[in-house]
Amino acid sequence: MVDHSLPGKISEKAPKVWRMTELISDLIGIIILAVIFFLDAYFDWVYWIGWILIALTIVLVLGSIWGVIEPDLLYKSWYFKVDKEFFQIKKGIWKEQWVTIPMTKIQGVSTTQGPILRRYQLRSITVETMGSSYSIPALEEQVAYELRDNIAEYAKIKEVEQT
């Protein structure tokens, strides 16, 4: 069993997953811009539309550059801690966010895996409370299953003790 009383890190594969997701988004953006550039040239639209398309291209390029840098920074900023009393998350590059949730407030916990996470044998965990949900992205599958089971067990124990 994994000791989750100490701060945990997400998988080292997380930056690869985030870069691949960003790459797919960028490719879709490039295709859309290319089609609009073609339509602009073919239909000879008003001149200022070309300038807007150039500005959008610059934004896409800058976003793509940030998409290469950001995953490593995000990975370094992600920590979580789970013990019998609290579920804690720390994340954020520019604005750090610290969240502490008492186990008694947790109503559900689940794992999810999309096609990109599946390729790297990773899963994400979502913890749900009455008002919101919190996720830990990109955990190794075995760690995700054990963490999910631990959170479910701790939350259930607290609920039983209160009644």
Side-chain angles (χ1 to χ4, degrees), residues 105-154:
K105 302 296 181 187
I106 294 175
Q107 294 184 329
V109 59
S110 61
T111 62
T112 56
Q113 183 184 54
I116 298 173
L117 288 176
R118 189 176 305 120
R119 182 178 193 276
Y120 290 99
Q121 289 101 29
L122 300 175
R123 288 190 172 268
S124 293
I125 289 182
T126 302
V127 174
E128 298 167 8
T129 63
M130 182 84 135
S132 55
S133 64
Y134 305 91
S135 294
I136 301 174
L139 293 170
E140 299 291 336
E141 286 183 330
Q142 188 61 35
V143 172
Y145 291 137
E146 290 180 19
L147 187 59
R148 178 198 61 195
D149 294 344
N150 285 346
I151 292 171
E153 179 182 335
Y154 295 155

Side-chain angles (χ1 to χ4, degrees), residues 18-19 22 65-75 93:
W18 293 332
R19 279 191 192 98
E22 181 70 25
I65 292 169
W66 176 246
V68 171
I69 299 167
E70 182 186 31
D72 289 324
L73 298 174
L74 277 176
Y75 171 74
I93 298 172

Side-chain angles (χ1 to χ4, degrees), residues 19-39:
R19 279 191 192 98
M20 185 169 289
T21 303
E22 181 70 25
L23 176 66
I24 291 169
S25 298
D26 290 345
L27 287 175
I28 291 170
I30 288 169
I31 290 169
I32 291 171
L33 269 175
V35 167
I36 296 173
F37 265 113
F38 170 77
L39 292 173

